[in-house]
Amino acid sequence: MVIVDPKHAAFFARLKSFAKGGRPAFKDAEVKPQAPVVYVLLKTDAVKSLSIAYETKTEEMSLSNVAGMLPGKSKANEYVVFSGHYDHLGIINSMDGDSIANGADDDATGTTAVIALARYFKRLNNNERTLIFVAFTAEEIGGYGSQYFSKNLSADQTVAMFNIEMIGKASKFGQNSAFITGFERSDFGAILQKIWRVRPLNFTLIPIRSSNFFTVVTTLRWPV
């Protein structure tokens, strides 16, 4: 049991909403039994004893990624992937009478970009490598759609992957900017900078301490 001081009520509300989602897992995965953790919002000097009872249930959900493919002309066994996730937070605490988390930016913008790219490359019809376009499910509850996808795609055959997220508004790094997570882990950013002829990109390393994706986020900036 974890007792949370009432001064952390705002965080407690977020924790409560997250806990209501249960503990998702793949159907065939081995889920190790864990003792339940109960969070209680109260002043410690207000309680002398506390009794807790709980019940658990298992619910099976059917979820699907949505994917399409354009076979490559000369390098069909090499893949370039464009992706985004189509789920969001679902039903949340009501704000101004609306409790549906629509996810217009996170990540309808990414899935829209993936669809637009699929249409664009289909019209060109000149891709040498096989192009895969995929919208992932269950990202917000643990990235289950992308986990399943990665287990069923050969990493050795995958040349590059563009995962697109939250492009519906100006970046917090400034107008006309974008960022790549994990820039220092590959030569992907340098290649993009080399081939970008119309608007040369300037790369800036910005430390990000609030994210668990990578240690560094790299910003790509171009002139207005």
Side-chain angles (χ1 to χ4, degrees):
M1 182 180 67
V2 178
I3 297 177
V4 181
D5 191 282
K7 68 181 180 181
H8 301 297
F11 177 77
F12 182 84
R14 292 177 57 192
L15 184 65
K16 180 181 178 181
S17 177
F18 177 79
K20 283 184 176 179
R23 185 179 172 223
F26 287 111
K27 182 178 179 180
D28 298 328
E30 180 182 352
V31 180
K32 296 181 180 180
Q34 291 183 345
V37 179
V38 178
Y39 295 85
V40 184
L41 187 70
L42 52 73
K43 284 283 190 181
T44 55
D45 57 359
V47 175
K48 294 182 179 178
S49 64
L50 189 64
S51 177
I52 298 171
Y54 69 93
E55 295 180 357
T56 62
K57 67 176 182 178
T58 300
E59 180 181 356
E60 186 173 320
M61 297 185 294
S62 178
L63 303 171
S64 299
N65 292 330
V66 180
M69 182 178 70
L70 293 176
K73 307 297 183 184
S74 63
K75 300 179 180 180
N77 291 326
E78 295 183 9
Y79 307 140
V80 175
V81 182
F82 298 92
S83 67
H85 68 90
Y86 70 84
D87 68 306
H88 196 49
L89 299 177
I91 305 300
I92 59 175
N93 294 331
S94 178
M95 296 180 62
D96 299 325
D98 184 6
S99 60
I100 299 175
N102 299 296
D105 189 30
D106 182 13
D107 188 31
T109 55
T111 54
T112 300
V114 171
I115 293 171
L117 286 164
R119 289 174 174 171
Y120 171 77
F121 284 112
K122 175 62 176 178
R123 286 197 302 268
L124 286 182
N125 194 32
N126 64 355
N127 52 291
E128 299 302 324
R129 293 185 172 93
T130 293
L131 305 182
I132 298 175
F133 307 89
V134 56
F136 296 130
T137 185
E139 190 272 349
E140 297 290 359
I141 62 173
Y144 288 92
S146 56
Q147 288 184 58
Y148 180 85
F149 178 82
S150 65
K151 292 176 181 177
N152 288 275
L153 186 73
S154 170
D156 293 335
Q157 292 177 261
T158 304
V159 177
M161 178 173 178
F162 298 78
N163 187 63
I164 308 170
E165 178 138 356
M166 300 176 67
I167 58 173
K169 58 185 178 181
S171 168
K172 67 179 181 180
F173 301 112
Q175 189 70 26
N176 294 321
S177 68
F179 65 89
I180 295 178
T181 53
F183 168 77
E184 78 288 356
R185 294 174 180 252
S186 76
D187 57 356
F188 192 38
I191 292 173
L192 288 178
Q193 186 179 36
K194 182 179 179 180
I195 66 176
W196 196 282
R197 303 296 185 187
V198 180
R199 294 177 177 178
L201 303 180
N202 297 315
F203 296 83
T204 306
L205 294 177
I206 299 179
I208 298 295
R209 294 181 176 84
S210 60
S211 172
N212 291 323
F213 297 125
F214 292 99
T215 305
V216 184
V217 167
T218 301
T219 345
L220 318 179
R221 304 185 184 277
W222 56 86
V224 176

mmCIF file of all heavy atoms in Angstrom, residues 100-128:
data_model
loop_
_atom_site.group_PDB
_atom_site.id
_atom_site.type_symbol
_atom_site.label_atom_id
_atom_site.label_comp_id
_atom_site.label_asym_id
_atom_site.label_seq_id
_atom_site.Cartn_x
_atom_site.Cartn_y
_atom_site.Cartn_z
ATOM 1 N N ILE A 100 -14.002 12.576 -24.234
ATOM 2 C CA ILE A 100 -13.331 11.786 -25.264
ATOM 3 C C ILE A 100 -12.002 12.439 -25.621
ATOM 4 O O ILE A 100 -11.954 13.601 -26.021
ATOM 5 C CB ILE A 100 -14.196 11.655 -26.532
ATOM 6 C CG1 ILE A 100 -15.518 10.947 -26.208
ATOM 7 C CG2 ILE A 100 -13.441 10.878 -27.614
ATOM 8 C CD1 ILE A 100 -16.474 10.874 -27.370
ATOM 9 N N ALA A 101 -10.922 11.692 -25.450
ATOM 10 C CA ALA A 101 -9.592 12.180 -25.844
ATOM 11 C C ALA A 101 -9.413 11.900 -27.330
ATOM 12 O O ALA A 101 -9.113 10.778 -27.729
ATOM 13 C CB ALA A 101 -8.501 11.494 -25.029
ATOM 14 N N ASN A 102 -9.625 12.906 -28.147
ATOM 15 C CA ASN A 102 -9.695 12.697 -29.589
ATOM 16 C C ASN A 102 -8.346 12.375 -30.227
ATOM 17 O O ASN A 102 -8.284 11.668 -31.220
ATOM 18 C CB ASN A 102 -10.287 13.946 -30.262
ATOM 19 C CG ASN A 102 -11.700 14.229 -29.766
ATOM 20 O OD1 ASN A 102 -12.601 13.437 -29.977
ATOM 21 N ND2 ASN A 102 -11.876 15.354 -29.092
ATOM 22 N N GLY A 103 -7.270 12.912 -29.700
ATOM 23 C CA GLY A 103 -5.955 12.587 -30.236
ATOM 24 C C GLY A 103 -5.701 13.160 -31.620
ATOM 25 O O GLY A 103 -5.049 12.530 -32.452
ATOM 26 N N ALA A 104 -6.209 14.364 -31.881
ATOM 27 C CA ALA A 104 -6.031 14.964 -33.205
ATOM 28 C C ALA A 104 -4.554 15.129 -33.551
ATOM 29 O O ALA A 104 -4.132 14.872 -34.678
ATOM 30 C CB ALA A 104 -6.743 16.314 -33.256
ATOM 31 N N ASP A 105 -3.766 15.582 -32.573
ATOM 32 C CA ASP A 105 -2.334 15.753 -32.810
ATOM 33 C C ASP A 105 -1.576 14.470 -32.514
ATOM 34 O O ASP A 105 -0.672 14.086 -33.253
ATOM 35 C CB ASP A 105 -1.808 16.908 -31.951
ATOM 36 C CG ASP A 105 -0.373 17.294 -32.309
ATOM 37 O OD1 ASP A 105 0.005 17.122 -33.485
ATOM 38 O OD2 ASP A 105 0.352 17.774 -31.431
ATOM 39 N N ASP A 106 -1.967 13.791 -31.453
ATOM 40 C CA ASP A 106 -1.288 12.570 -30.989
ATOM 41 C C ASP A 106 -2.237 11.370 -31.101
ATOM 42 O O ASP A 106 -2.904 11.039 -30.137
ATOM 43 C CB ASP A 106 -0.846 12.783 -29.541
ATOM 44 C CG ASP A 106 -0.090 11.623 -28.953
ATOM 45 O OD1 ASP A 106 0.314 10.737 -29.715
ATOM 46 O OD2 ASP A 106 0.089 11.586 -27.722
ATOM 47 N N ASP A 107 -2.358 10.659 -32.269
ATOM 48 C CA ASP A 107 -1.446 10.879 -33.364
ATOM 49 C C ASP A 107 -2.195 10.779 -34.700
ATOM 50 O O ASP A 107 -1.745 10.126 -35.627
ATOM 51 C CB ASP A 107 -0.311 9.854 -33.292
ATOM 52 C CG ASP A 107 0.804 10.119 -34.302
ATOM 53 O OD1 ASP A 107 1.044 11.284 -34.638
ATOM 54 O OD2 ASP A 107 1.401 9.157 -34.767
ATOM 55 N N ALA A 108 -3.369 11.425 -34.768
ATOM 56 C CA ALA A 108 -4.070 11.463 -36.061
ATOM 57 C C ALA A 108 -3.213 12.150 -37.119
ATOM 58 O O ALA A 108 -3.274 11.810 -38.301
ATOM 59 C CB ALA A 108 -5.406 12.178 -35.916
ATOM 60 N N THR A 109 -2.378 13.112 -36.697
ATOM 61 C CA THR A 109 -1.500 13.783 -37.655
ATOM 62 C C THR A 109 -0.489 12.810 -38.245
ATOM 63 O O THR A 109 -0.193 12.845 -39.443
ATOM 64 C CB THR A 109 -0.748 14.939 -36.980
ATOM 65 O OG1 THR A 109 -0.040 14.433 -35.828
ATOM 66 C CG2 THR A 109 -1.694 16.029 -36.535
ATOM 67 N N GLY A 110 0.045 11.928 -37.410
ATOM 68 C CA GLY A 110 1.017 10.953 -37.892
ATOM 69 C C GLY A 110 0.400 9.952 -38.849
ATOM 70 O O GLY A 110 0.980 9.631 -39.891
ATOM 71 N N THR A 111 -0.793 9.437 -38.510
ATOM 72 C CA THR A 111 -1.434 8.473 -39.393
ATOM 73 C C THR A 111 -1.867 9.128 -40.705
ATOM 74 O O THR A 111 -1.806 8.508 -41.771
ATOM 75 C CB THR A 111 -2.656 7.820 -38.720
ATOM 76 O OG1 THR A 111 -3.557 8.833 -38.253
ATOM 77 C CG2 THR A 111 -2.221 6.984 -37.533
ATOM 78 N N THR A 112 -2.282 10.394 -40.642
ATOM 79 C CA THR A 112 -2.632 11.127 -41.864
ATOM 80 C C THR A 112 -1.410 11.272 -42.763
ATOM 81 O O THR A 112 -1.493 11.119 -43.987
ATOM 82 C CB THR A 112 -3.195 12.514 -41.524
ATOM 83 O OG1 THR A 112 -4.369 12.361 -40.725
ATOM 84 C CG2 THR A 112 -3.554 13.299 -42.778
ATOM 85 N N ALA A 113 -0.253 11.565 -42.154
ATOM 86 C CA ALA A 113 0.986 11.683 -42.934
ATOM 87 C C ALA A 113 1.351 10.355 -43.586
ATOM 88 O O ALA A 113 1.793 10.317 -44.744
ATOM 89 C CB ALA A 113 2.121 12.156 -42.025
ATOM 90 N N VAL A 114 1.171 9.254 -42.864
ATOM 91 C CA VAL A 114 1.479 7.930 -43.425
ATOM 92 C C VAL A 114 0.588 7.643 -44.634
ATOM 93 O O VAL A 114 1.052 7.150 -45.671
ATOM 94 C CB VAL A 114 1.307 6.830 -42.348
ATOM 95 C CG1 VAL A 114 1.395 5.442 -42.971
ATOM 96 C CG2 VAL A 114 2.367 6.978 -41.263
ATOM 97 N N ILE A 115 -0.703 7.965 -44.528
ATOM 98 C CA ILE A 115 -1.633 7.755 -45.648
ATOM 99 C C ILE A 115 -1.248 8.634 -46.836
ATOM 100 O O ILE A 115 -1.244 8.183 -47.996
ATOM 101 C CB ILE A 115 -3.073 8.051 -45.203
ATOM 102 C CG1 ILE A 115 -3.524 7.016 -44.170
ATOM 103 C CG2 ILE A 115 -4.030 8.046 -46.397
ATOM 104 C CD1 ILE A 115 -4.845 7.347 -43.503
ATOM 105 N N ALA A 116 -0.894 9.890 -46.547
ATOM 106 C CA ALA A 116 -0.497 10.807 -47.627
ATOM 107 C C ALA A 116 0.767 10.316 -48.328
ATOM 108 O O ALA A 116 0.879 10.395 -49.563
ATOM 109 C CB ALA A 116 -0.283 12.211 -47.058
ATOM 110 N N LEU A 117 1.719 9.815 -47.561
ATOM 111 C CA LEU A 117 2.947 9.289 -48.155
ATOM 112 C C LEU A 117 2.669 8.048 -49.004
ATOM 113 O O LEU A 117 3.264 7.868 -50.073
ATOM 114 C CB LEU A 117 3.955 8.952 -47.047
ATOM 115 C CG LEU A 117 4.630 10.149 -46.379
ATOM 116 C CD1 LEU A 117 5.293 9.723 -45.074
ATOM 117 C CD2 LEU A 117 5.640 10.791 -47.316
ATOM 118 N N ALA A 118 1.756 7.200 -48.540
ATOM 119 C CA ALA A 118 1.411 6.002 -49.309
ATOM 120 C C ALA A 118 0.813 6.398 -50.664
ATOM 121 O O ALA A 118 1.158 5.818 -51.702
ATOM 122 C CB ALA A 118 0.426 5.140 -48.519
ATOM 123 N N ARG A 119 -0.065 7.378 -50.653
ATOM 124 C CA ARG A 119 -0.668 7.841 -51.905
ATOM 125 C C ARG A 119 0.388 8.468 -52.822
ATOM 126 O O ARG A 119 0.380 8.254 -54.037
ATOM 127 C CB ARG A 119 -1.764 8.859 -51.601
ATOM 128 C CG ARG A 119 -3.016 8.238 -50.968
ATOM 129 C CD ARG A 119 -4.007 9.300 -50.563
ATOM 130 N NE ARG A 119 -5.259 8.702 -50.097
ATOM 131 C CZ ARG A 119 -6.233 9.397 -49.514
ATOM 132 N NH1 ARG A 119 -6.090 10.701 -49.325
ATOM 133 N NH2 ARG A 119 -7.339 8.783 -49.134
ATOM 134 N N TYR A 120 1.296 9.232 -52.218
ATOM 135 C CA TYR A 120 2.344 9.898 -53.005
ATOM 136 C C TYR A 120 3.250 8.883 -53.706
ATOM 137 O O TYR A 120 3.488 8.961 -54.916
ATOM 138 C CB TYR A 120 3.164 10.801 -52.078
ATOM 139 C CG TYR A 120 4.403 11.381 -52.717
ATOM 140 C CD1 TYR A 120 4.315 12.446 -53.610
ATOM 141 C CD2 TYR A 120 5.659 10.863 -52.415
ATOM 142 C CE1 TYR A 120 5.457 12.976 -54.201
ATOM 143 C CE2 TYR A 120 6.800 11.390 -53.003
ATOM 144 C CZ TYR A 120 6.693 12.445 -53.891
ATOM 145 O OH TYR A 120 7.822 12.963 -54.477
ATOM 146 N N PHE A 121 3.745 7.912 -52.948
ATOM 147 C CA PHE A 121 4.657 6.929 -53.532
ATOM 148 C C PHE A 121 3.935 5.988 -54.494
ATOM 149 O O PHE A 121 4.543 5.469 -55.437
ATOM 150 C CB PHE A 121 5.367 6.146 -52.428
ATOM 151 C CG PHE A 121 6.456 6.918 -51.747
ATOM 152 C CD1 PHE A 121 6.322 7.311 -50.418
ATOM 153 C CD2 PHE A 121 7.608 7.262 -52.433
ATOM 154 C CE1 PHE A 121 7.331 8.028 -49.790
ATOM 155 C CE2 PHE A 121 8.622 7.983 -51.809
ATOM 156 C CZ PHE A 121 8.475 8.377 -50.489
ATOM 157 N N LYS A 122 2.651 5.758 -54.259
ATOM 158 C CA LYS A 122 1.875 4.948 -55.193
ATOM 159 C C LYS A 122 1.780 5.658 -56.549
ATOM 160 O O LYS A 122 1.907 5.016 -57.614
ATOM 161 C CB LYS A 122 0.482 4.699 -54.628
ATOM 162 C CG LYS A 122 -0.466 3.954 -55.565
ATOM 163 C CD LYS A 122 0.040 2.558 -55.888
ATOM 164 C CE LYS A 122 -0.968 1.815 -56.742
ATOM 165 N NZ LYS A 122 -0.482 0.461 -57.118
ATOM 166 N N ARG A 123 1.591 6.979 -56.521
ATOM 167 C CA ARG A 123 1.531 7.732 -57.780
ATOM 168 C C ARG A 123 2.882 7.735 -58.488
ATOM 169 O O ARG A 123 2.948 7.611 -59.712
ATOM 170 C CB ARG A 123 1.075 9.170 -57.513
ATOM 171 C CG ARG A 123 -0.394 9.316 -57.197
ATOM 172 C CD ARG A 123 -0.852 10.751 -57.355
ATOM 173 N NE ARG A 123 -0.097 11.659 -56.505
ATOM 174 C CZ ARG A 123 -0.461 12.015 -55.277
ATOM 175 N NH1 ARG A 123 -1.588 11.506 -54.763
ATOM 176 N NH2 ARG A 123 0.264 12.853 -54.570
ATOM 177 N N LEU A 124 3.976 7.879 -57.728
ATOM 178 C CA LEU A 124 5.309 7.871 -58.336
ATOM 179 C C LEU A 124 5.610 6.520 -58.984
ATOM 180 O O LEU A 124 6.168 6.442 -60.071
ATOM 181 C CB LEU A 124 6.374 8.178 -57.286
ATOM 182 C CG LEU A 124 6.503 9.618 -56.795
ATOM 183 C CD1 LEU A 124 7.653 9.719 -55.803
ATOM 184 C CD2 LEU A 124 6.701 10.589 -57.943
ATOM 185 N N ASN A 125 5.290 5.454 -58.256
ATOM 186 C CA ASN A 125 5.464 4.083 -58.752
ATOM 187 C C ASN A 125 6.897 3.815 -59.219
ATOM 188 O O ASN A 125 7.132 3.169 -60.233
ATOM 189 C CB ASN A 125 4.490 3.805 -59.910
ATOM 190 C CG ASN A 125 4.397 2.315 -60.226
ATOM 191 O OD1 ASN A 125 4.526 1.474 -59.339
ATOM 192 N ND2 ASN A 125 4.183 1.992 -61.488
ATOM 193 N N ASN A 126 7.873 4.322 -58.460
ATOM 194 C CA ASN A 126 9.272 4.107 -58.848
ATOM 195 C C ASN A 126 10.155 3.690 -57.672
ATOM 196 O O ASN A 126 11.375 3.846 -57.722
ATOM 197 C CB ASN A 126 9.836 5.375 -59.487
ATOM 198 C CG ASN A 126 9.879 6.554 -58.513
ATOM 199 O OD1 ASN A 126 9.398 6.442 -57.375
ATOM 200 N ND2 ASN A 126 10.426 7.680 -58.947
ATOM 201 N N ASN A 127 9.530 3.183 -56.585
ATOM 202 C CA ASN A 127 10.318 2.806 -55.404
ATOM 203 C C ASN A 127 11.131 1.547 -55.661
ATOM 204 O O ASN A 127 10.590 0.507 -56.042
ATOM 205 C CB ASN A 127 9.404 2.601 -54.192
ATOM 206 C CG ASN A 127 8.251 1.654 -54.457
ATOM 207 O OD1 ASN A 127 7.346 1.980 -55.218
ATOM 208 N ND2 ASN A 127 8.291 0.476 -53.831
ATOM 209 N N GLU A 128 12.444 1.654 -55.493
ATOM 210 C CA GLU A 128 13.327 0.502 -55.684
ATOM 211 C C GLU A 128 13.213 -0.485 -54.531
ATOM 212 O O GLU A 128 13.263 -1.699 -54.717
ATOM 213 C CB GLU A 128 14.771 0.976 -55.857
ATOM 214 C CG GLU A 128 14.996 1.891 -57.060
ATOM 215 C CD GLU A 128 14.578 1.237 -58.372
ATOM 216 O OE1 GLU A 128 14.768 0.015 -58.513
ATOM 217 O OE2 GLU A 128 14.060 1.954 -59.251
#
